[in-house]
Amino acid sequence: MNKTYIYFLSIMLIGLLFACTEKVEDTIESSFEAPISPQNLAYGSNVLFMEDFVSDVQLIDSVFIDGIKMGFYQSKRQIVFQAADFKNPLLLMQIWINGKSKDILLKKSRKQKYMFSFNPQGKSYDSVQIVGEINGWTPSKTKLEWHDTSWQQVLFLEPGKYAYQVVADNKWMLDNNNSNIMPNGQGGENSVLHIGNNKMYDTPYLTTIQHSDDSIYFSVLNFQANQIFVLWNNQLINSDEKLDFENYYKTGIPKQASTFELSYIRIYAFNENGLSNDLLIPLMNGKVANSSDELPRTAWHTNIIYNVFVDRFYDGDPTNNNPLSDSIVLPQANYNGGDLKGIIQKINVGYFTELGVNSLWLSPVVKNTEGAYGYWPDPETKFSAYHGYWPTSFTQINPHFGNPQDLKDLVAVAHENQSNVLLDMVANHVHNEHPYYIEHPEYATKLELPDGSLNLERWDEHRLTTWFDKFLPTLDLERPEVAQMLADSAVWWAQEYNLDGFRYDAAKHIPLSFWRLLTKKLKDSVINRNSQSIYQLGETYGSSDLIGSYISNGLLDAQFDFNVYDAALGVFAGGNDINILAERLDESIRVYGGHNLMAYITGNQDRARFISYAGGTLRFDEDAKVAGWTRDVEIGDSLAFKKLQMLMALNMTIPGIPVIFYGDEFGMPGGNDPDCRRMMRFGDDLSDIEKQNLKVTKKLIELRKSNMALLYGDIVIHQNEGVDRMSYSRSYFNQFAWVGFNNSDKTKKFEFEISGELVSNFDSKIIKEGSKYIIEIPAYSFEILTMK
């Protein structure tokens, strides 16, 4: 998009639009469950599991894709087809049951065939591989073959930019045939591979205009749409009537929507170059929602998650502290006293309400080993299981944190305060003291590989079987009896404690078959039976392709988008070219959608604190874990607070769900774990500058919650504005937000044209010349403009 003013169309047209309103005949008699996002298809052959969409597949009469009847496999459980057999980039699948259809969109892969070639320029190598974002930085996945004068391999890649290096005879190096390079965020550089062309952006752009009680008006801009899909929940409503004005449309709201507390209108389009953005419009009892105050806490796009690290948050019951008495366990690696009652107390005094967050993600509270394990040499220490990731039970509460009633009380008081509760679940492994492993050691994957080496920390090469440590056997979740048991355990937690969702540890190390089984069980036993929403969030480090492979209606709802965080860390804290962040954000929107439920972090328990990088007390080229043990890692340059505020502003204004790691709301410093897991501080324990930073965080949260454009709006990332400036805009009917970042040490100007009166929320200077706005943003600062 090359115009920032596409959102605001002449207000005079609105009256004409209302004059064209006609009642839409309501032909839909029933609805199915919550809206199903477009399902991503593979490049070649595809298998769709019908149980992902229908609980009892035997009720299915037929399935059509773009009008073609599909054959069944596995007793109606699967359909198999080639994506290439269909022309359009967006397909309509209709699952027919008793004369009614469930309508689901299928998004074809945009992968392209690319011949990668490496010319050794006269040097002789025995083996050559490439490693990078194309293969999760795993050289063994992409081996090149020698052909005549170069090493070659065919790749299938989505359009975009890929950082990589060549591995020649086990030596990593830049590709000397490619002059395109970029910083790697750790003091070095990577080569860059570009796939695709500008045609991929020559697609329609959708934007909302106005709404009445029974109709919604939208516009198709930039390029003509070959086809438009309008859905209410999972029903195609086919009421995208084109008006007399160029590229203006209206769609009716089905009458039946009035019988649903919360439902959605969704709009998609495409042309020969690809897909448009999508529109997501929440309805409350059949009326368009204009404020987040109208929506329930289970409207997940309105959520802001706060990551509570239980042991390090607040000690509400000193009687259960009981740190390990082993003298070799240093205080940083031992229990520090935080517990469930402490969290309850902070809910009751209004800490989370005043901050503005409305979902609490608790670190694991299941019972863990009471022994000391692991080892760190300098200073010498072992570790307790204060973090919760060394489980010895599937159902018991860790006595260091409380008891079952404490967790029930926590969930109840959170719900009374309109907050969701997500529980961290460890599904990948158990501790070797776990009775289940002791009784059934065969239920774990093999620690020793066929070559005699140990399958330890082989994160990518043996992704689904590797052990995290010798005392943490990985469960073999390909075995049905193991998968069934663990899935039943998760369902039990959801039912017993009335949970709203889970954060799943190490999701990429667990086979898709388990996530499909667990999701079906949760749907059958909790979601559909109780009309209860369960949000499932996975943790996966890797390419967007790998991350996205776990997101589907029958799998997880979302994952953490660590790639955006890594780009933001390198830009705001490391001074990298801001276009790296803009391009990464654009890729995430294209891969996960403009209304995704991905989680965007300020930090987490496995990383050094952002503010310590930003302040210079941590270097990108050092081991942050060693730094945390060997010196006092604080903030350094106070400019770090402004850089942290830019990160917070980014997370609060892009699509997805912001996640605040405890302490980041005011700027807690630290190296990598356990130094990033210091005891939480409150109130008078904060410095003046930390208190000021906390105020900025609260203001950003309030701004996000009060502007529907920042929750449900479409988004335009504006054209390149140099290496240190970035801006984007979001719009939802008559609500609008423009967001700009200045990542330089000088005041920078931003210019754009738009109709309407905008106001600054963070005191930047605004100069208005007719419809032209000039915004002056100070050094290392951001601005959010909204409608007056």
Side-chain angles (χ1 to χ4, degrees):
M1 300 293 293
N2 54 15
K3 295 182 179 180
T4 64
Y5 54 86
I6 64 171
Y7 302 110
F8 283 83
L9 307 168
S10 173
I11 198 67
M12 295 178 63
L13 288 172
I14 299 303
L16 295 173
L17 291 171
F18 276 106
C20 295
T21 301
E22 297 177 3
K23 291 282 185 180
V24 173
E25 291 300 318
D26 194 20
T27 59
I28 301 168
E29 297 179 4
S30 65
S31 175
F32 294 79
E33 65 268 46
I36 299 173
S37 298
Q39 303 294 286
N40 291 316
L41 298 180
Y43 180 80
S45 180
N46 284 267
V47 178
L48 293 184
F49 296 83
M50 292 296 98
E51 288 180 329
D52 290 356
F53 312 109
V54 177
S55 291
D56 185 354
V57 297
Q58 299 309 314
L59 297 177
I60 299 175
D61 298 320
S62 59
V63 176
F64 287 79
I65 296 180
D66 270 13
I68 299 176
K69 188 174 182 179
M70 310 303 295
F72 290 113
Y73 294 86
Q74 299 290 326
S75 300
K76 294 188 177 182
R77 287 183 171 83
Q78 298 175 4
I79 61 171
V80 181
F81 62 96
Q82 295 287 331
D85 291 342
F86 297 89
K87 176 183 177 182
N88 296 329
L90 192 63
L91 312 177
L92 175 65
M93 178 172 71
Q94 295 182 295
I95 303 175
W96 288 91
I97 300 176
N98 294 329
K100 300 181 178 66
S101 70
K102 174 180 284 188
D103 303 322
I104 300 161
L105 297 179
L106 308 177
K107 187 166 64 172
K108 287 178 66 176
S109 171
R110 297 178 306 123
K111 286 185 177 179
Q112 301 176 10
K113 184 178 180 180
Y114 178 83
M115 176 61 76
F116 182 89
S117 178
F118 171 71
N119 187 335
Q121 299 183 2
K123 295 183 179 180
S124 177
Y125 299 111
D126 293 327
S127 69
V128 176
Q129 303 159 310
I130 51 176
V131 60
E133 294 174 322
I134 63 172
N135 57 15
W137 296 96
T138 307
S140 61
K141 290 184 177 180
T142 315
K143 298 179 180 179
L144 307 189
E145 297 181 357
W146 178 257
H147 292 280
D148 297 328
T149 61
S150 64
W151 294 85
Q152 299 177 1
Q153 183 57 268
V154 174
L155 306 176
F156 293 91
L157 298 172
E158 295 265 346
K161 178 189 291 186
Y162 297 87
Y164 74 98
Q165 290 200 14
V166 173
V167 183
D169 289 346
N170 297 318
K171 180 182 179 182
W172 290 38
M173 59 188 179
L174 295 177
D175 184 348
N176 54 16
N177 302 291
N178 185 355
S179 60
N180 295 317
I181 59 174
M182 64 184 293
N184 66 5
Q186 298 177 341
E189 294 176 324
N190 290 318
S191 296
V192 180
L193 180 64
H194 292 272
I195 303 295
N197 54 51
N198 291 332
K199 280 288 185 181
M200 61 189 250
Y201 294 102
D202 293 347
T203 55
Y205 192 85
L206 308 178
T207 187
T208 51
I209 301 173
Q210 188 55 280
H211 64 84
S212 63
D213 283 347
D214 58 10
S215 296
I216 291 168
Y217 304 89
F218 65 97
S219 183
V220 180
L221 302 174
N222 282 6
F223 296 91
Q224 190 73 29
N226 293 359
Q227 188 169 354
I228 299 172
F229 292 106
V230 181
L231 298 98
W232 172 68
N233 280 2
N234 298 315
Q235 299 282 355
L236 188 69
I237 61 177
N238 281 327
S239 61
D240 53 309
E241 177 188 347
K242 195 173 189 303
L243 302 181
D244 293 335
F245 326 112
E246 183 179 3
N247 298 324
Y248 283 57
Y249 295 79
K250 80 176 179 72
T251 185
I253 299 173
K255 293 177 183 177
Q256 191 186 358
S258 64
T259 66
F260 284 68
E261 179 191 27
L262 177 64
S263 61
Y264 295 90
I265 293 287
R266 297 177 292 145
I267 305 175
Y268 305 84
F270 66 84
N271 67 7
E272 62 278 4
N273 295 316
L275 306 184
S276 71
N277 63 311
D278 65 288
L279 301 179
L280 178 66
I281 303 162
L283 308 176
M284 286 297 292
N285 301 116
K287 306 297 182 185
V288 172
N290 293 306
S291 167
S292 64
D293 292 339
E294 304 172 32
L295 298 169
R297 59 180 169 81
T298 51
W300 288 102
H301 292 86
T302 68
N303 272 238
I304 298 171
I305 297 173
Y306 189 92
N307 180 190
V308 183
F309 201 83
V310 177
D311 180 64
R312 303 300 165 89
F313 193 68
Y314 192 69
D315 186 356
D317 182 7
T319 64
N320 62 21
N321 289 0
N322 303 321
L324 301 193
S325 58
D326 193 328
S327 61
I328 198 174
V329 179
L330 295 178
Q332 301 97 309
N334 212 333
Y335 285 95
N336 279 202
D339 49 35
L340 297 172
K341 285 185 177 178
I343 300 168
I344 293 172
Q345 290 177 24
K346 287 302 177 182
I347 296 174
N348 285 330
V349 300
Y351 182 81
F352 302 109
T353 301
E354 291 176 10
L355 182 59
V357 299
N358 53 1
S359 276
L360 303 181
W361 153 28
L362 308 183
S363 57
V365 299
V366 71
K367 184 179 179 182
N368 272 229
T369 177
E370 289 294 328
Y373 287 83
Y375 179 74
W376 187 262
D378 183 22
E380 189 174 24
T381 187
K382 289 187 176 182
F383 297 83
S384 74
Y386 70 93
H387 42 69
Y389 293 101
W390 297 346
T392 57
S393 172
F394 292 125
T395 57
Q396 295 175 282
I397 297 288
N398 190 331
H400 293 272
F401 301 150
N403 57 50
Q405 190 59 50
D406 291 335
L407 182 56
K408 290 179 180 179
D409 291 345
L410 188 156
V411 174
V413 73
H415 287 173
E416 289 171 5
N417 284 268
Q418 297 304 305
S419 182
N420 297 304
V421 178
L422 313 179
L423 189 62
D424 203 317
M425 177 182 173
V426 184
N428 175 73
H429 59 267
V430 294
H431 193 276
N432 61 16
E433 293 177 0
H434 199 298
Y436 187 73
Y437 174 71
I438 293 173
E439 184 176 353
H440 294 287
E442 72 276 15
Y443 287 173
T445 61
K446 300 296 184 182
L447 176 59
E448 186 171 314
L449 294 169
D451 64 2
S453 64
L454 294 182
N455 192 5
L456 286 174
E457 299 185 357
R458 303 284 189 93
W459 307 128
D460 297 300
E461 187 179 1
H462 297 283
R463 177 166 60 87
L464 298 178
T465 60
T466 192
W467 288 30
F468 281 47
D469 213 319
K470 290 181 180 180
F471 56 87
L472 296 175
T474 289
L475 294 172
D476 185 358
L477 291 167
E478 300 279 10
R479 298 180 65 129
E481 62 271 43
V482 182
Q484 290 282 352
M485 178 280 305
L486 194 61
D488 288 341
S489 171
V491 171
W492 179 85
W493 281 91
Q495 293 175 321
E496 180 71 9
Y497 293 104
N498 195 23
L499 299 173
D500 303 291
F502 294 98
R503 178 268 187 187
Y504 298 119
D505 185 56
K508 79 171 186 179
H509 299 293
I510 296 168
L512 292 178
S513 58
F514 172 77
W515 298 124
R516 179 161 277 113
L517 172 68
L518 172 57
T519 298
K520 178 169 173 49
K521 283 180 174 287
L522 284 170
K523 286 181 178 179
D524 291 346
S525 300
V526 182
I527 298 172
N528 295 337
R529 178 177 294 179
N530 304 331
S531 297
Q532 180 179 345
S533 175
I534 296 289
Y535 174 65
Q536 297 188 86
L537 174 63
E539 178 206 32
T540 292
Y541 288 90
S543 68
S544 56
D545 199 32
L546 175 63
I547 293 170
S549 69
Y550 283 78
I551 302 169
S552 169
N553 192 61
L555 300 172
L556 305 181
D557 297 301
Q559 297 223 64
F560 293 97
D561 193 343
F562 295 123
N563 293 324
V564 166
Y565 174 79
D566 288 337
L569 175 67
V571 168
F572 295 140
N576 290 346
D577 184 339
I578 204 168
N579 290 294
I580 295 172
L581 174 58
E583 291 165 0
R584 178 60 70 183
L585 178 59
D586 180 66
E587 178 189 346
S588 288
I589 292 169
R590 285 188 285 111
V591 173
Y592 311 125
H595 294 93
N596 65 73
L597 291 173
M598 300 291 283
Y600 293 88
I601 63 171
T602 60
N604 67 22
Q605 73 274 13
D606 297 323
R607 293 171 174 266
R609 294 278 183 167
F610 174 96
I611 200 165
S612 292
Y613 281 118
T617 56
L618 279 178
R619 303 188 315 274
F620 285 95
D621 62 351
E622 70 174 321
D623 187 328
K625 189 185 291 283
V626 173
W629 278 111
T630 56
R631 68 175 191 266
D632 186 16
V633 177
E634 292 300 331
I635 293 169
D637 191 337
S638 62
L639 192 63
F641 286 98
K642 296 179 72 67
K643 297 179 179 182
L644 177 60
Q645 290 166 15
M646 286 198 288
L647 173 66
M648 195 72 71
L650 175 78
N651 288 355
M652 294 297 166
T653 56
I654 60 176
I657 299 180
V659 181
I660 299 174
F661 184 44
Y662 83 102
D664 282 343
E665 64 266 41
F666 61 81
M668 182 182 286
N672 204 342
D673 77 274
D675 197 39
C676 61
R677 306 168 182 178
R678 301 178 187 181
M679 204 66 190
M680 178 65 172
R681 293 183 283 119
F682 301 92
D684 291 339
D685 288 335
L686 304 185
S687 67
D688 288 344
I689 195 169
E690 288 174 330
K691 291 177 181 177
Q692 178 58 36
N693 195 73
L694 180 58
K695 288 182 180 179
V696 173
T697 299
K698 291 179 178 179
K699 184 174 181 178
L700 282 166
I701 291 173
E702 176 57 30
L703 192 59
R704 179 180 178 86
K705 292 169 62 177
S706 65
N707 193 317
M708 290 287 281
L710 296 177
L711 300 172
Y712 292 99
D714 46 73
I715 182 169
V716 173
I717 302 174
H718 300 151
Q719 281 187 317
N720 185 301
E721 302 193 56
V723 298
D724 49 26
R725 292 183 300 156
M726 179 178 79
S727 65
Y728 47 85
S729 302
R730 301 192 67 184
S731 172
Y732 177 84
F733 295 107
N734 63 346
Q735 299 186 49
F736 174 80
W738 177 94
V739 185
F741 297 90
N742 175 12
N743 196 42
S744 76
D745 59 1
K746 297 180 177 61
T747 296
K748 295 282 185 173
K749 292 183 179 180
F750 295 74
E751 297 184 11
F752 59 90
E753 292 187 12
I754 195 169
S755 60
E757 293 293 324
L758 302 179
V759 295
S760 164
N761 287 279
F762 291 92
D763 301 323
S764 293
K765 182 179 179 181
I766 299 179
I767 302 171
K768 189 173 186 298
E769 299 174 353
S771 62
K772 179 179 179 181
Y773 277 83
I774 302 172
I775 315 299
E776 295 184 0
I777 301 181
Y780 298 111
S781 298
F782 66 92
E783 181 56 79
I784 303 173
L785 305 182
T786 53
M787 294 299 293
K788 187 173 182 180

